[in-house]
Amino acid sequence: MRKSGNGEGGRTLGTTGSLCPVCLRRIAAERVIEDDVVYLCKSCPEHGPFKTVIWRGLPSYQSWGEAALRSPAPPAACGAAAAGQCPFNCALCAGHLQHAGAVELEVTERCNLACPICCSAAGANPSPDPSLAQIDAWCRTLLAAGRAFAIHLSGGEPTVRHDLPEMIQRVRALGFNYVQLNTNGVRLALEKEYASELKEAGLSCVSLQFDGVTEEVFEAIRGRHLLETKLAAIQNCAEQQLDVVLVPTLIPGVNTGQIGDILRTATALSPTVRAVHFQPISYMGRYPGLPQNADRITLPEIMQLIEQQTAGQFTAASFRPASAENPYCAFHARFWLQPGGGVIPTVRPANPACCRPAQPANLDAFSAQQKQAFCISAMAFQDAWNLDLEHLDKCFLHALSPNRELVPLCAYHLTGAHGQRLSRSLTATRPA
Ligand SMILES: [Zn+2]
């Protein structure tokens, strides 16, 4: 055990690479533990030191890493960037240890909300939407990469496109069996027949932003009241037997006190709602002010709050690192809901895509016993402050860039302190 090189009282847990959040140049970084809090410490020769919390409390950072037992599967097709240059011009280079599992397609930059917090800064000066023919071409690029990726249609807000059902049909017809829609749910709530159109087109799952159970939360995060809209969207999906995953963005002091309420709402709406996927806020795109450590919530804190706020119904010990990504990117557990309100944790699933309708035989057997599968997971997207380049090597969730390369999603959306985008302003941000 050696002292960290940052000149403070902590102990080092290893070194990695990161970025200066101001100028986005690549700099060395060190993981430093002080008591049970782990920080990413780094210093830019021009902009000084940065110390960002990445892990608070139990399970310990070290034990969590040891719980991840798996062999990564390297990507078959490589992108243009040379290994060692990550995250600049990032694509699936020879430095990557993991193939992509899911790919996000940004099908519009337009949005029908103007959220004060938005990781893609949607709605501001949107580019023209890609045509259906262009999206077909993207999909053929993915097929050439050799895998039937899970496709996430994202934006912006994909439902502002009137050709979304046709887009889903075309993606499915090209051979992609899992198509998920990332949405705020506004259109699903307003147009009763819309869920039916999407279902008929072949949509697999609705990934619905769902930040809390009071309007104060929606006002703070989305800029308007949305609770009734969300519930109406879920109801319309239920009538079409269209699966829904609730996706809360967790922000300290805004909705971290509603984790238990969100889970109770979700389980009450099972089986339509089959999972809750928490996302601790990451500071990219549009957000108010520069982030302090108090503005962050880490994965172990979410596990503990799940247990506390559900009175132990869902225990922190049930969770494991997701089996594809770097273990510090995500956690996951699957439970069986019983008719009387009981909950049984299941063993760790071998398939990271367990929330998807991938095991019909098992589900049939269990539904015969009147139990419902329910998943709880979380994924911590990285921003310019907490970026650990070792996480990108094992990224499982990619975006397809406009020049048709697979880019780790965090690198794709990452922005600097002045709002500059890493993946779209390479010449401006890349160091000489
Ligand atoms: Zn700098």
Side-chain angles (χ1 to χ4, degrees), residues 268-301:
L269 294 167
S270 169
T272 298
V273 173
R274 53 190 305 132
V276 177
H277 185 59
F278 293 103
Q279 294 182 346
I281 185 169
S282 51
Y283 291 90
M284 53 175 72
R286 188 161 62 227
Y287 52 86
L290 289 179
Q292 307 299 313
N293 282 334
D295 301 322
R296 294 184 182 276
I297 181 167
T298 63
L299 294 181
E301 293 169 282

CSV table of all heavy atoms in Angstrom, one decimal, residues 268-301:
chain,number,residue,atom,x,y,z
A,268,ALA,N,-45.9,-1.9,-8.8
A,268,ALA,CA,-47.3,-1.9,-8.9
A,268,ALA,C,-47.8,-2.0,-10.3
A,268,ALA,O,-48.9,-2.4,-10.6
A,268,ALA,CB,-47.9,-0.7,-8.2
A,269,LEU,N,-46.9,-1.5,-11.3
A,269,LEU,CA,-47.3,-1.5,-12.7
A,269,LEU,C,-46.7,-2.7,-13.4
A,269,LEU,O,-46.7,-2.7,-14.7
A,269,LEU,CB,-46.8,-0.2,-13.3
A,269,LEU,CG,-47.6,1.1,-12.8
A,269,LEU,CD1,-46.9,2.4,-13.2
A,269,LEU,CD2,-49.0,1.1,-13.3
A,270,SER,N,-46.1,-3.6,-12.7
A,270,SER,CA,-45.6,-4.9,-13.3
A,270,SER,C,-46.9,-5.7,-13.7
A,270,SER,O,-47.9,-5.6,-13.1
A,270,SER,CB,-44.8,-5.6,-12.3
A,270,SER,OG,-44.5,-6.9,-12.7
A,271,PRO,N,-46.8,-6.4,-14.8
A,271,PRO,CA,-45.7,-6.8,-15.6
A,271,PRO,C,-45.4,-5.8,-16.8
A,271,PRO,O,-44.4,-6.0,-17.5
A,271,PRO,CB,-46.1,-8.1,-16.2
A,271,PRO,CG,-47.5,-8.1,-16.4
A,271,PRO,CD,-48.0,-7.2,-15.2
A,272,THR,N,-46.3,-4.8,-17.0
A,272,THR,CA,-45.9,-3.8,-18.1
A,272,THR,C,-44.6,-3.2,-17.8
A,272,THR,O,-43.7,-3.2,-18.7
A,272,THR,CB,-47.0,-2.7,-18.2
A,272,THR,OG1,-48.3,-3.3,-18.5
A,272,THR,CG2,-46.6,-1.7,-19.3
A,273,VAL,N,-44.4,-2.7,-16.6
A,273,VAL,CA,-43.1,-2.2,-16.2
A,273,VAL,C,-42.3,-3.4,-15.7
A,273,VAL,O,-42.6,-4.0,-14.7
A,273,VAL,CB,-43.2,-1.1,-15.1
A,273,VAL,CG1,-41.8,-0.7,-14.6
A,273,VAL,CG2,-43.9,0.1,-15.6
A,274,ARG,N,-41.3,-3.7,-16.5
A,274,ARG,CA,-40.5,-4.9,-16.1
A,274,ARG,C,-39.2,-4.6,-15.5
A,274,ARG,O,-38.5,-5.5,-15.0
A,274,ARG,CB,-40.3,-5.8,-17.4
A,274,ARG,CG,-39.7,-5.1,-18.6
A,274,ARG,CD,-39.8,-6.0,-19.8
A,274,ARG,NE,-39.1,-7.3,-19.5
A,274,ARG,CZ,-39.7,-8.5,-19.8
A,274,ARG,NH1,-40.9,-8.5,-20.4
A,274,ARG,NH2,-39.0,-9.6,-19.6
A,275,ALA,N,-38.8,-3.3,-15.4
A,275,ALA,CA,-37.5,-3.0,-14.8
A,275,ALA,C,-37.4,-1.5,-14.5
A,275,ALA,O,-38.2,-0.7,-15.1
A,275,ALA,CB,-36.4,-3.3,-15.8
A,276,VAL,N,-36.5,-1.2,-13.6
A,276,VAL,CA,-36.1,0.2,-13.3
A,276,VAL,C,-34.6,0.3,-13.5
A,276,VAL,O,-33.9,-0.5,-13.0
A,276,VAL,CB,-36.5,0.7,-11.9
A,276,VAL,CG1,-36.0,2.1,-11.7
A,276,VAL,CG2,-38.0,0.6,-11.7
A,277,HIS,N,-34.2,1.3,-14.3
A,277,HIS,CA,-32.8,1.4,-14.7
A,277,HIS,C,-32.4,2.8,-14.2
A,277,HIS,O,-32.7,3.8,-14.9
A,277,HIS,CB,-32.6,1.3,-16.2
A,277,HIS,CG,-31.2,1.3,-16.7
A,277,HIS,ND1,-30.3,0.4,-16.2
A,277,HIS,CD2,-30.6,2.1,-17.5
A,277,HIS,CE1,-29.1,0.6,-16.8
A,277,HIS,NE2,-29.3,1.7,-17.6
A,278,PHE,N,-31.7,2.9,-13.1
A,278,PHE,CA,-31.3,4.2,-12.5
A,278,PHE,C,-30.1,4.7,-13.2
A,278,PHE,O,-29.1,4.0,-13.5
A,278,PHE,CB,-31.0,4.1,-11.0
A,278,PHE,CG,-32.2,3.8,-10.2
A,278,PHE,CD1,-32.5,2.5,-9.7
A,278,PHE,CD2,-33.2,4.8,-9.9
A,278,PHE,CE1,-33.6,2.2,-8.9
A,278,PHE,CE2,-34.3,4.5,-9.1
A,278,PHE,CZ,-34.5,3.2,-8.6
A,279,GLN,N,-30.0,6.1,-13.4
A,279,GLN,CA,-28.8,6.7,-14.0
A,279,GLN,C,-28.4,7.9,-13.1
A,279,GLN,O,-29.1,8.9,-13.1
A,279,GLN,CB,-29.1,7.2,-15.4
A,279,GLN,CG,-29.4,6.0,-16.4
A,279,GLN,CD,-29.6,6.5,-17.8
A,279,GLN,OE1,-29.8,7.7,-18.1
A,279,GLN,NE2,-29.6,5.5,-18.7
A,280,PRO,N,-27.4,7.7,-12.3
A,280,PRO,CA,-26.9,8.8,-11.6
A,280,PRO,C,-26.5,10.0,-12.5
A,280,PRO,O,-26.0,9.7,-13.6
A,280,PRO,CB,-25.6,8.3,-10.9
A,280,PRO,CG,-25.2,7.1,-11.6
A,280,PRO,CD,-26.5,6.5,-12.2
A,281,ILE,N,-26.9,11.2,-12.2
A,281,ILE,CA,-26.6,12.3,-13.1
A,281,ILE,C,-25.2,12.4,-13.5
A,281,ILE,O,-24.3,12.2,-12.7
A,281,ILE,CB,-27.1,13.7,-12.6
A,281,ILE,CG1,-26.9,14.7,-13.6
A,281,ILE,CG2,-26.4,14.0,-11.3
A,281,ILE,CD1,-27.6,16.1,-13.3
A,282,SER,N,-24.9,12.6,-14.8
A,282,SER,CA,-23.5,12.8,-15.2
A,282,SER,C,-23.6,14.2,-15.9
A,282,SER,O,-24.6,14.6,-16.5
A,282,SER,CB,-23.0,11.7,-16.2
A,282,SER,OG,-24.0,11.5,-17.2
A,283,TYR,N,-22.5,14.9,-15.8
A,283,TYR,CA,-22.5,16.3,-16.2
A,283,TYR,C,-22.0,16.5,-17.6
A,283,TYR,O,-20.8,16.6,-17.9
A,283,TYR,CB,-21.8,17.2,-15.2
A,283,TYR,CG,-22.6,17.2,-13.9
A,283,TYR,CD1,-22.4,16.2,-12.9
A,283,TYR,CD2,-23.6,18.1,-13.7
A,283,TYR,CE1,-23.2,16.2,-11.8
A,283,TYR,CE2,-24.4,18.1,-12.6
A,283,TYR,CZ,-24.2,17.1,-11.6
A,283,TYR,OH,-25.0,17.1,-10.5
A,284,MET,N,-22.9,16.4,-18.6
A,284,MET,CA,-22.6,16.5,-20.0
A,284,MET,C,-23.8,17.1,-20.7
A,284,MET,O,-24.9,17.1,-20.1
A,284,MET,CB,-22.3,15.2,-20.6
A,284,MET,CG,-23.3,14.1,-20.4
A,284,MET,SD,-23.0,12.6,-21.2
A,284,MET,CE,-21.6,11.9,-20.3
A,285,GLY,N,-23.6,17.8,-21.8
A,285,GLY,CA,-24.7,18.4,-22.5
A,285,GLY,C,-25.2,19.6,-21.8
A,285,GLY,O,-24.4,20.6,-21.6
A,286,ARG,N,-26.4,19.6,-21.3
A,286,ARG,CA,-27.0,20.8,-20.6
A,286,ARG,C,-27.3,20.5,-19.1
A,286,ARG,O,-27.9,19.5,-18.8
A,286,ARG,CB,-28.3,21.2,-21.3
A,286,ARG,CG,-28.9,22.5,-20.9
A,286,ARG,CD,-29.9,23.0,-22.0
A,286,ARG,NE,-31.0,22.0,-22.2
A,286,ARG,CZ,-31.5,21.6,-23.4
A,286,ARG,NH1,-30.9,22.0,-24.4
A,286,ARG,NH2,-32.5,20.8,-23.4
A,287,TYR,N,-26.7,21.3,-18.3
A,287,TYR,CA,-27.0,21.2,-16.8
A,287,TYR,C,-26.6,22.6,-16.2
A,287,TYR,O,-25.8,23.3,-16.8
A,287,TYR,CB,-26.1,20.1,-16.2
A,287,TYR,CG,-24.6,20.2,-16.6
A,287,TYR,CD1,-23.7,21.0,-15.8
A,287,TYR,CD2,-24.1,19.6,-17.7
A,287,TYR,CE1,-22.4,21.2,-16.2
A,287,TYR,CE2,-22.7,19.8,-18.1
A,287,TYR,CZ,-21.9,20.6,-17.3
A,287,TYR,OH,-20.6,20.8,-17.7
A,288,PRO,N,-27.2,22.9,-15.0
A,288,PRO,CA,-26.9,24.2,-14.4
A,288,PRO,C,-25.6,24.2,-13.6
A,288,PRO,O,-25.4,23.3,-12.7
A,288,PRO,CB,-28.1,24.4,-13.5
A,288,PRO,CG,-28.6,23.0,-13.2
A,288,PRO,CD,-28.2,22.1,-14.3
A,289,GLY,N,-24.7,25.1,-13.9
A,289,GLY,CA,-23.5,25.3,-13.1
A,289,GLY,C,-22.5,24.2,-13.2
A,289,GLY,O,-22.8,23.1,-13.8
A,290,LEU,N,-21.3,24.4,-12.7
A,290,LEU,CA,-20.3,23.4,-12.7
A,290,LEU,C,-20.5,22.4,-11.5
A,290,LEU,O,-20.8,22.8,-10.4
A,290,LEU,CB,-18.9,24.0,-12.6
A,290,LEU,CG,-18.5,24.8,-13.9
A,290,LEU,CD1,-17.1,25.4,-13.7
A,290,LEU,CD2,-18.5,23.9,-15.1
A,291,PRO,N,-20.3,21.1,-11.8
A,291,PRO,CA,-20.6,20.1,-10.7
A,291,PRO,C,-19.6,20.1,-9.6
A,291,PRO,O,-18.4,20.1,-9.8
A,291,PRO,CB,-20.6,18.8,-11.5
A,291,PRO,CG,-19.7,19.0,-12.7
A,291,PRO,CD,-19.9,20.5,-13.0
A,292,GLN,N,-20.1,20.0,-8.4
A,292,GLN,CA,-19.3,19.8,-7.2
A,292,GLN,C,-19.5,18.3,-6.8
A,292,GLN,O,-20.4,17.6,-7.3
A,292,GLN,CB,-19.7,20.7,-6.1
A,292,GLN,CG,-19.8,22.1,-6.4
A,292,GLN,CD,-18.4,22.7,-6.8
A,292,GLN,OE1,-17.4,22.4,-6.1
A,292,GLN,NE2,-18.4,23.4,-8.0
A,293,ASN,N,-18.6,17.8,-5.9
A,293,ASN,CA,-18.8,16.4,-5.5
A,293,ASN,C,-20.1,16.2,-4.8
A,293,ASN,O,-20.7,15.1,-4.9
A,293,ASN,CB,-17.6,16.0,-4.6
A,293,ASN,CG,-16.4,15.7,-5.4
A,293,ASN,OD1,-16.5,15.3,-6.6
A,293,ASN,ND2,-15.2,15.9,-4.8
A,294,ALA,N,-20.7,17.2,-4.1
A,294,ALA,CA,-22.0,17.0,-3.5
A,294,ALA,C,-23.1,16.9,-4.5
A,294,ALA,O,-24.2,16.4,-4.1
A,294,ALA,CB,-22.3,18.2,-2.6
A,295,ASP,N,-22.8,17.2,-5.7
A,295,ASP,CA,-23.8,17.1,-6.8
A,295,ASP,C,-23.8,15.7,-7.4
A,295,ASP,O,-24.5,15.5,-8.4
A,295,ASP,CB,-23.6,18.1,-7.9
A,295,ASP,CG,-23.6,19.5,-7.4
A,295,ASP,OD1,-24.5,19.8,-6.5
A,295,ASP,OD2,-22.8,20.4,-7.8
A,296,ARG,N,-23.1,14.8,-6.8
A,296,ARG,CA,-22.9,13.4,-7.4
A,296,ARG,C,-23.4,12.4,-6.5
A,296,ARG,O,-23.3,12.5,-5.3
A,296,ARG,CB,-21.4,13.2,-7.8
A,296,ARG,CG,-20.9,14.0,-8.9
A,296,ARG,CD,-19.5,13.7,-9.2
A,296,ARG,NE,-19.0,14.6,-10.2
A,296,ARG,CZ,-19.2,14.5,-11.5
A,296,ARG,NH1,-19.8,13.4,-12.0
A,296,ARG,NH2,-18.7,15.3,-12.4
A,297,ILE,N,-24.1,11.3,-7.1
A,297,ILE,CA,-24.4,10.1,-6.3
A,297,ILE,C,-23.7,9.0,-7.1
A,297,ILE,O,-23.7,8.9,-8.3
A,297,ILE,CB,-25.9,10.0,-6.2
A,297,ILE,CG1,-26.2,8.7,-5.4
A,297,ILE,CG2,-26.6,9.9,-7.6
A,297,ILE,CD1,-27.7,8.6,-5.0
A,298,THR,N,-23.1,8.1,-6.3
A,298,THR,CA,-22.4,7.0,-6.9
A,298,THR,C,-23.2,5.6,-6.8
A,298,THR,O,-24.1,5.5,-6.0
A,298,THR,CB,-21.0,6.8,-6.2
A,298,THR,OG1,-21.2,6.5,-4.8
A,298,THR,CG2,-20.2,8.1,-6.3
A,299,LEU,N,-22.7,4.6,-7.5
A,299,LEU,CA,-23.4,3.4,-7.6
A,299,LEU,C,-23.7,2.7,-6.2
A,299,LEU,O,-24.8,2.3,-5.9
A,299,LEU,CB,-22.8,2.4,-8.5
A,299,LEU,CG,-22.7,2.8,-10.0
A,299,LEU,CD1,-22.0,1.7,-10.8
A,299,LEU,CD2,-24.1,3.0,-10.5
A,300,PRO,N,-22.7,2.6,-5.3
A,300,PRO,CA,-22.9,2.0,-4.0
A,300,PRO,C,-24.0,2.8,-3.2
A,300,PRO,O,-24.8,2.1,-2.5
A,300,PRO,CB,-21.6,2.0,-3.3
A,300,PRO,CG,-20.7,2.9,-4.1
A,300,PRO,CD,-21.2,3.0,-5.5
A,301,GLU,N,-24.0,4.1,-3.3
A,301,GLU,CA,-25.0,4.8,-2.6
A,301,GLU,C,-26.4,4.5,-3.1
A,301,GLU,O,-27.3,4.4,-2.3
A,301,GLU,CB,-24.7,6.3,-2.8
A,301,GLU,CG,-23.5,6.8,-2.1
A,301,GLU,CD,-23.1,8.2,-2.5
A,301,GLU,OE1,-22.6,8.4,-3.6
A,301,GLU,OE2,-23.4,9.1,-1.7
